[in-house]
Amino acid sequence: MGIVFAPLGLVLVFTAAITPQWREGQAHLGMAGPGSLLRSGTKSHGTRSGSVEALILLRSDGLWESCLQVERSDLRQCWPVAGPYQRDPRVRLAQGLVLTSLFLCGTGIVLACIGVRCWADLPLRGVAASGGLLVVTAGLLSLTALGVYTHNLKRLGMDPSQRIHNPRYPHLNLHPAGSLYFGWLGSCLQVLGGTALLFSFKRPRCPTCPCRHELSVSPCHSCPEMTNKPDMDVYEVSC
């Protein structure tokens, strides 16, 4: 369970980190006025005035990239995050936590694979459990980053002095996007997989015969399952 869930969680968190859909917003563009921002561009494409007024602007932000797209068109542009959004301490905190989470999860998976040792008869339980501890820590860090971002989603990059609505620029209704859900799912899988690996600290108890004679190979009379099999050799098994 740990070997399967931990890499899957790492892939999902990494996918969430590199995609720019942490939050999305849309706004209806008023293109009828003479001060329109996209009037010249839309005229060059031969768009009618009726369809110009119905344009919807889609904005998406991630940890390292932002995108802008006009709905029902091929007009799309992405750029690295900049400005107040990039300088927001909560965004920078989320970036640091996600990067640390990815590093710890990758290291934990490597330790878990070395500890499990599928090519050997006996695993290194301490090494596997240590890897599980790193994976759990990585999952908790990514959950913290997602929680901070989601809680402050509508306030990230917003300057309090500029909250007065400017009619020239459209107002965006921001809401959580798909990358956040990938991150939540991946973080939960990391916690579950790391917790499963943590059980490696506890060694299983193997049922053995109560009376063991190191120099005798005869069956022990206190074990009823052995008395019925006189031709059986008794071995001492160490778990």
Side-chain angles (χ1 to χ4, degrees), residues 20-90:
Q21 281 81 30
W22 282 58
R23 68 177 185 178
E24 290 181 345
Q26 65 178 11
H28 295 272
L29 299 181
M31 296 297 178
S36 171
L37 297 177
L38 297 179
R39 172 174 289 275
S40 59
T42 53
K43 282 184 178 180
S44 62
H45 288 80
T47 309
R48 293 178 301 177
S49 59
S51 60
V52 171
E53 296 179 357
L55 287 179
I56 297 178
L57 186 68
L58 302 178
R59 169 72 180 267
S60 61
D61 293 314
L63 291 183
W64 285 276
E65 190 179 33
S66 298
C67 293
L68 196 64
Q69 181 180 5
V70 178
E71 190 179 39
R72 298 179 181 177
S73 71
D74 296 333
L75 298 176
R76 178 181 174 89
Q77 184 178 4
C78 297
W79 62 92
V81 292
Y85 180 80
Q86 181 190 20
R87 296 189 297 268
D88 195 298
R90 293 160 294 191

Side-chain angles (χ1 to χ4, degrees), residues 166-191:
N166 189 344
R168 181 179 179 182
Y169 298 98
H171 177 70
L172 294 175
N173 298 317
L174 298 173
H175 56 84
S179 297
L180 280 180
Y181 301 114
F182 279 106
W184 285 111
L185 179 59
S187 301
C188 293
L189 290 179
Q190 287 179 351
V191 173

Side-chain angles (χ1 to χ4, degrees), residues 152-173:
N152 302 282
L153 186 141
K154 295 184 178 180
R155 298 188 295 270
L156 295 174
M158 300 296 178
D159 190 355
S161 61
Q162 298 178 355
R163 287 185 178 178
I164 301 177
H165 179 65
N166 189 344
R168 181 179 179 182
Y169 298 98
H171 177 70
L172 294 175
N173 298 317

